[in-house]
């Protein structure tokens, strides 16, 4: 009897383990794949940056009083070494017919100080986007896509709402119909291999399957640069981009 009970428990355990494995989504890149590769690098700006202009928020005193000092426009932001912030770097080709389920965890875009934070939001297609109003005034968030459903929603102070975009689009302009200086972008991608550059222009694309890839770097004002790279099992390779003033 004890042996029979033991075998029953073992059988049940194996059934649970097999079922659990079947529930794992093969389309999601593994975070600890020993054969995975990494692409890393820096995007730099070359040339004369457009002169930043102070943003006038006088039309809404609740916005203006949050900024004792004038806030400059943020279209081109580079550090002292030329490292360029707010550049989308992504795998544009090379993944074949692989498909990837979107993460269930939402990414957040906040309206804070009467500005969009972050200015450039990157998200996978069909991934939830949580829009948060952290200001003491109302906003109206209005993405203007060319390849997705357009929406235009008012949001009261402290409110939250959730939306998503179904198709790849790089990138969707976002505005506020109440505060015309509020501008941002939402980049929607069909795979999870993307990054937005840090303040020093650096980026990482980890957990890539070995292969040959077309990598693109996109900036809202400076356009797109493209490179091709081949990367092997468990390799880390560097690829750098230079975007020039137009």
């Amino acid at each position: 009897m004890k042996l029979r009970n033991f075998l029953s428990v073992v059988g049940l355990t194996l059934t649970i383990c097999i079922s659990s494995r079947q529930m794992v989504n093969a389309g999601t890149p593994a975070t600890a794949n020993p054969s995975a590769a990494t692409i890393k690098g820096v995007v730099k700006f070359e040339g004369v940056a457009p002169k930043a202009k102070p943003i006038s928020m006088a039309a809404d005193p609740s916005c203006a009083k949050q900024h004792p000092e004038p806030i400059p426009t943020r279209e081109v932001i580079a550090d002292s070494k030329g490292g360029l912030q707010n550049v989308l770097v992504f795998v544009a080709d090379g993944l074949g017919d692989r498909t990837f389920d979107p993460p269930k965890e939402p990414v957040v875009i906040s309206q804070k100080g009467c500005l969009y934070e972050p200015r450039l939001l990157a998200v996978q297609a069909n991934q939830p986007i949580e829009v948060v109003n952290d200001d003491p005034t109302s906003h109206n968030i209005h993405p203007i896509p060319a390849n997705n459903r357009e929406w235009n929603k008012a949001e009261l102070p402290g409110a939250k709402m959730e939306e998503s975009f179904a198709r790849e689009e790089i990138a969707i302009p976002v505005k506020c119909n109440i505060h015309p200086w509020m501008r941002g972008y939402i980049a929607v991608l069909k795979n999870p291999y993307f990054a937005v550059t840090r303040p020093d222009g650096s980026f990482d694309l980890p957990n890539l399957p070995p292969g040959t890839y077309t990598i693109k770097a996109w900036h809202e004002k400076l356009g797109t640069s493209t490179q091709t790279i081949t990367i092997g099992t468990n390799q880390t390779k560097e690829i750098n981009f230079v975007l020039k003033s137009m």
Side-chain angles (χ1 to χ4, degrees), residues 10-26:
V10 170
L12 178 60
T13 302
L14 288 172
T15 301
I16 293 172
C17 290
I18 292 169
S19 298
S20 298
R21 287 178 183 173
Q22 288 174 341
M23 291 171 65
V24 173
N25 188 338

Side-chain angles (χ1 to χ4, degrees), residues 96-107:
D97 59 357
R98 294 181 179 94
T99 59
F100 305 91
D101 284 347
K104 294 181 180 179
E105 187 71 20
V107 291

Side-chain angles (χ1 to χ4, degrees), residues 114-151:
C114 297
L115 298 168
Y116 287 123
E117 295 291 347
R119 182 177 178 88
L120 171 60
L121 181 74
V123 62
Q124 205 171 324
N126 290 310
Q127 182 176 3
I129 302 169
E130 186 176 272
V131 184
V132 180
N133 185 358
D134 286 324
D135 280 325
T137 187
S138 294
H139 288 296
N140 182 280
I141 184 164
H142 185 186
I144 310 171
N147 193 37
N148 280 280
R149 176 180 58 87
E150 183 176 351
W151 44 273

Side-chain angles (χ1 to χ4, degrees), residues 121-192:
L121 181 74
V123 62
Q124 205 171 324
N126 290 310
Q127 182 176 3
I129 302 169
E130 186 176 272
V131 184
V132 180
N133 185 358
D134 286 324
D135 280 325
T137 187
S138 294
H139 288 296
N140 182 280
I141 184 164
H142 185 186
I144 310 171
N147 193 37
N148 280 280
R149 176 180 58 87
E150 183 176 351
W151 44 273
N152 179 10
K153 295 185 177 181
E155 199 168 34
L156 296 174
K160 296 180 181 180
M161 64 178 171
E162 198 168 279
E163 279 286 353
S164 65
F165 293 101
R167 289 174 291 278
E168 184 172 69
E169 187 166 350
I170 302 165
I172 301 171
V174 182
K175 68 177 183 177
C176 174
N177 291 349
I178 300 173
H179 306 103
W181 64 83
M182 290 181 65
R183 297 281 173 173
Y185 291 87
I186 298 174
V188 185
L189 297 107
K190 60 186 177 184
N191 68 67

